[in-house]
Amino acid sequence: MSHEPRLSQALRTLFATQRVAALGTLGEDGRPFVSMVPFAVEPVSGQVVIHVSGLAAHTGNLQRHPQVSLLVMQAEVAGEPVHALPRVTLEGVATVLAFESVSWAAARAAYLARFPEAEPMTALGDFRFVGIRVAGARQVAGFGAARSLDGEAILQVLRAPQA
């Protein structure tokens, strides 16, 4: 059994316990736009999966400019300092997955395993699954505990079994 570094364990815990991310996209005019999206991780490909409406501004943005960023962070605890909250910023490329393709089916399964209540929305015609292939990340696990990860290092965490 191989040893997993402490920061990788902390990152895996963050992905397993937090279900929403801030999604950063670029608008048609090049201006940044941030929105909240529920997310899942597809464990075979290691892609981050979101389920979005074609009517949402972020969907049009990521279709025009597929380079996106996601921020996943631990929730604030009342009375506790916020500056050292565990968090990770992911950089990646978003792709709308072809309906009923193998990657779409895998994304749907991962998403519904995490959000079973969303099943009726998967039948709506204006919703689609988007896979985000992560190319790098910046993790902050607390004061003095930060690191950058290249694409392969973050994929090792994303592909591992999620809780």
Side-chain angles (χ1 to χ4, degrees):
M1 184 170 174
S2 64
H3 171 73
E4 182 175 44
R6 179 183 61 81
L7 288 179
S8 293
Q9 290 174 1
L11 188 53
R12 185 179 328 287
T13 298
L14 188 66
F15 284 124
T17 60
Q18 303 308 305
R19 301 186 331 146
V20 297
L23 171 68
T25 59
L26 291 176
E28 190 170 6
D29 58 2
R31 295 171 76 180
F33 183 82
V34 178
S35 54
M36 184 281 292
V37 290
F39 75 93
V41 176
E42 197 288 301
V44 175
S45 68
Q47 288 191 87
V48 174
V49 175
I50 58 176
H51 189 236
V52 296
S53 169
L55 303 174
H58 54 245
T59 303
N61 290 348
L62 65 82
Q63 288 178 306
R64 280 186 297 278
H65 304 285
Q67 293 78 19
V68 299
S69 185
L70 287 155
L71 170 67
V72 178
M73 64 181 277
Q74 182 178 303
E76 179 181 350
V77 176
E80 295 292 322
V82 296
H83 296 91
L85 284 174
R87 58 199 178 270
V88 64
T89 299
L90 306 172
E91 297 173 0
V93 178
T95 303
V96 175
L97 303 175
F99 182 67
E100 293 189 341
S101 66
V102 172
S103 57
W104 178 91
R108 182 181 188 275
Y111 194 85
L112 291 180
R114 192 160 217 203
F115 302 104
E117 71 280 6
E119 197 279 328
M121 290 185 347
T122 66
L124 299 175
D126 72 311
F127 275 81
R128 59 223 44 186
F129 285 102
V130 173
I132 300 171
R133 185 160 309 280
V134 178
R138 179 71 180 165
Q139 176 188 12
V140 177
F143 284 117
R147 66 179 176 162
S148 294
L149 295 99
D150 64 18
E152 190 53 42
I154 188 66
L155 275 178
Q156 286 180 9
V157 174
L158 292 171
R159 285 184 177 149
Q162 302 294 311

